[in-house]
Structure formats: C-alpha cells, structure tokens
Amino acid sequence: MMALKEKIEALKRQRNAVILAHYYTEGDVQDVADFVGDSLALSQKAATTDADVILFAGVHFMGETAKILSPQKKVLMPDMAAGCSLADSCRAEDFAAFIAAHPGHTVISYVNTTAEVKALTDIVCTSSNAVQIVESLPKDEPIIFGPDRNLGNYIKNITGRENMLIWDGACHVHEEFSLEKILELKKEYPQAKVLTHPECKRPIILVSDYVGSTAGLLKYATEDTSTDTYIVVTEPGVLHQMKKAAPGKTFIPAPPMDSTCGCNNCSFMKLVTLRKMADALERMEPEIVIPEEVRAKAEKSIRRMLDISKKLGFI
Ligand code: 13P
Ligand code: SF4
C-alpha cells in the first residue's frame, strides 16, 4: 500500500497531474487525492486547475464533466467501467424525444448524466444547488427536470413549482435504503440525527433531520452540536471524511433493504483502487474523449450552473 502511494505521488509530479476524488471512493483513494469533494466542488476544481492532467477518482460522468470544462487537459479514469445507474437511467435519445414532446420548457439536468444529455440541457445542477437553480427561474417557468425522480420531487415539494415535469430515473444505491431499518436504528439510538442525500425516496426524506449533498451532510455532521450520533443515509464512503473531521462523534451508515453486510456501497465508485490509479498515471490511459460538438454544448449548460452558483455564493 505504502509503495503504491509513493508510486502515485512520484507519477503525479512527473505528469504534473492533479488527483480529484469523490467522497464515495474508498478511504485510501481519498487519502492520496489533492482534493476530495462533492460533484459541485469537483467540477469547479476541474474548471480551475492548472495541472496538465486530471486523474479523476470517481465515476464516468464526473470525468466527463472535468473534460467538458478543461478540454485542453488530459482526463484519466482509473476504471472506465465505473459508471452510474442514475446516468444510465436517462439515454440521450430518449431524453431528446421527451424534450421534443414538451416544447417551451427549460431543461435542468442533474450532473449525474452523460455529456450527450448535458448537451440537450439548458442548466446543469448538483444536489448542492438544485433548489437554488430552480428558484433562480421565474415562478411560472415550465421546467423539465431529469434524471432523478427523487431529487426532482424533493425540489418540487420545497419550491412548490407546479410546472415541473420530472424524468423517471433513479440511483440504485439511494433507492435501496430501508425506511423500516432506519426507524429501527432510530429506536436503538434515540439521540441520533438522520442525515440524508436527496436522491433517497420521500418517506426517508420525511424522517430526516437534514437533507443535503455529500458536502452538505459532511458540513452538518461536523458543525452540529445538538448530538454526537448520526445515521447517515447515503453511500458510506462519505463516513471517511466525517470520522476525520469529527473523531469524537459516532456515524452509523444506514443499511439497505436486503443486506448481509449492512452496507450500501456504490459498486461503481468502489471500482476505483490505488493500483488502477497508479496504472492510469503510468500508462496515461484510459482517457476521457468527447466529440467537440457535444462537449461545447454541454459546457454551456455547466457554465450556466457555475455562473448561477457563483452569483448565489455557493462557490
Ligand atoms: P453529490 O453531488 O452530493 O456529491 O452526489 C453525487 C452522487 O453521485 C450522489 O449519488
Ligand atoms: Fe451514480 Fe448512485 Fe453511484 Fe452516485 S451512488 S455514482 S448516483 S450509482
């Protein structure tokens, strides 16, 4: 492990590379990264880094977002098979047909989408800024929101938007959490607060004390002084930074419906390993490649998100 970490460090210097990692990756992967963050912060880092190479320790759509924002840089992925069930639930050709069937709508897409879907989109959003991006539009503006139905319904409930059509997609990890098991945990730990990602289903949102992006959950868990125990309802990789930031507190990963191990890993994120990171830096592949026509269109929708986020003080 130590030798691998040293190899990654040496290759990183040699290639003038920066390593960006999402909170859902393994702890040892997060520990070698130059920056660990949620989707919004990672996209902003990708847009501003002066490295020649970005090694993206995350899933495919995150690497694509980095390439869209930094086309002159080489964006390497440790494993090209690290996909996303939510992005897969919205194929570009189907989404294009949906948009064509509902003309006159502003299209807002969650960042968990392919570059092709982003190219069909007016404004991208992440779970950090989705509510505010929707609220930045006039109250009666017709909106298409995709692809996450749970996040879409969460936003619709908070903003009271009537004119919002929601794509019927979901993330298999967040859909699998069990309300019953969370309620059992609450009985066992009555002092615990429930911290939930908005990709979860509504009944779980309703029993939660705080709902937010991975960065939001981490911030809340670190700053909250009302208790020292938290049931965390999202991919358990985020617990690595929670434990580091608040070592005296107890973090309990929420279990999925059917589980023998009690954990609810995103198998795509867990494909990222130190070995594959070292190999990618050594071979300078696999690399994200996006046709320029698609990239340029997708960039517009991501830049609109970054501009709105900057204006609202998110980044
Ligand atoms: P965040 O934007 O909160 O980092 O979430 C990304 C993700 O893939 C959630 O499943
Ligand atoms: Fe995609 Fe779900 Fe994994 Fe996030 S947790 S990367 S939404 S499959």
Side-chain angles (χ1 to χ4, degrees):
M1 170 98 81
M2 209 49 223
L4 260 183
K5 283 186 176 173
E6 280 164 14
K7 188 173 177 183
I8 290 170
E9 273 304 320
L11 283 165
K12 206 180 73 177
R13 276 195 300 275
Q14 195 183 326
R15 307 293 194 201
N16 188 26
V18 66
I19 301 178
L20 306 182
H22 189 265
Y23 289 128
Y24 292 165
T25 54
E26 297 283 8
D28 56 356
V29 168
Q30 296 184 34
D31 289 344
V32 296
D34 297 293
F35 183 78
V36 186
D38 70 347
S39 305
L40 178 62
L42 288 169
S43 63
Q44 219 243 340
K45 277 280 165 198
T48 52
T49 178
D50 53 12
D52 296 320
V53 176
I54 298 172
L55 176 63
F56 214 114
V59 293
H60 192 263
F61 77 81
M62 295 178 173
E64 275 193 337
T65 303
K67 184 69 183 176
I68 291 164
L69 291 167
S70 289
Q72 70 290 357
K73 298 187 197 313
K74 208 178 242 304
V75 178
L76 301 173
M77 298 300 292
D79 191 329
M80 277 295 189
C84 168
S85 58
L86 179 52
D88 288 347
S89 70
C90 185
R91 293 192 321 159
E93 52 269 47
D94 302 334
F95 199 52
F98 186 70
I99 294 168
H102 302 96
H105 287 67
T106 296
V107 181
I108 301 182
S109 292
Y110 193 32
V111 70
N112 298 41
T113 44
T114 61
E116 288 77 12
V117 167
K118 288 187 179 78
L120 299 166
T121 295
D122 295 306
I123 317 173
V124 167
C125 71
T126 75
S127 48
S128 274
N129 58 20
V131 168
Q132 291 76 11
I133 296 272
V134 167
E135 279 185 333
S136 73
L137 299 174
K139 193 86 194 153
D140 54 353
E141 181 121 347
I143 293 170
I144 287 176
F145 184 89
D148 191 274
R149 59 175 173 248
N150 295 323
L151 178 63
N153 282 317
Y154 172 71
I155 298 166
K156 199 170 175 175
N157 280 314
I158 286 198
T159 61
R161 297 270 167 158
E162 295 296 335
N163 273 344
M164 197 166 144
L165 298 175
I166 300 171
W167 184 262
D168 194 21
C171 153
H172 73 293
V173 177
H174 288 87
E175 285 255 304
E176 274 170 22
F177 286 112
S178 153
L179 176 64
E180 213 178 305
K181 291 192 175 177
I182 291 168
L183 294 178
E184 276 169 23
L185 277 174
K186 271 180 73 111
K187 260 195 210 148
E188 201 179 326
Y189 302 93
Q191 79 282 25
K193 281 196 160 175
V194 179
L195 312 182
T196 299
H197 196 279
E199 285 174 26
C200 293
K201 290 179 181 169
R202 182 145 178 84
I204 293 179
I205 300 276
L206 290 175
V207 300
S208 300
D209 297 287
Y210 176 80
V211 178
S213 73
T214 48
L217 302 181
L218 175 60
K219 188 169 187 288
Y220 188 95
T222 310
E223 292 176 359
D224 178 56
T225 52
S226 67
T227 183
D228 60 1
T229 309
Y230 303 86
I231 299 165
V232 182
V233 197
T234 192
E235 212 278 352
V238 73
L239 266 68
H240 183 65
Q241 298 297 332
M242 287 178 172
K243 287 175 185 166
K244 270 184 161 181
K249 292 182 174 179
T250 303
F251 299 103
I252 305 156
M257 225 99 70
D258 300 306
S259 163
T260 41
C261 67
C263 52
N264 197 13
N265 288 330
C266 171
S267 52
F268 299 114
M269 287 283 186
K270 273 29 184 190
L271 285 176
V272 181
T273 63
L274 291 180
R275 160 70 55 204
K276 291 178 194 172
M277 290 167 76
D279 286 351
L281 282 173
E282 191 160 49
R283 298 184 193 140
M284 293 294 270
E285 61 172 24
E287 182 187 356
I288 297 274
V289 180
I290 305 170
E292 178 52 24
E293 198 192 324
V294 173
R295 191 208 63 78
K297 283 187 192 156
E299 183 177 8
K300 275 192 194 157
S301 59
I302 304 175
R303 293 269 174 215
R304 273 190 79 181
M305 169 187 81
L306 292 175
D307 289 348
I308 296 172
S309 298
K310 213 173 276 173
K311 223 179 268 170
L312 295 174
F314 275 90
I315 52 176

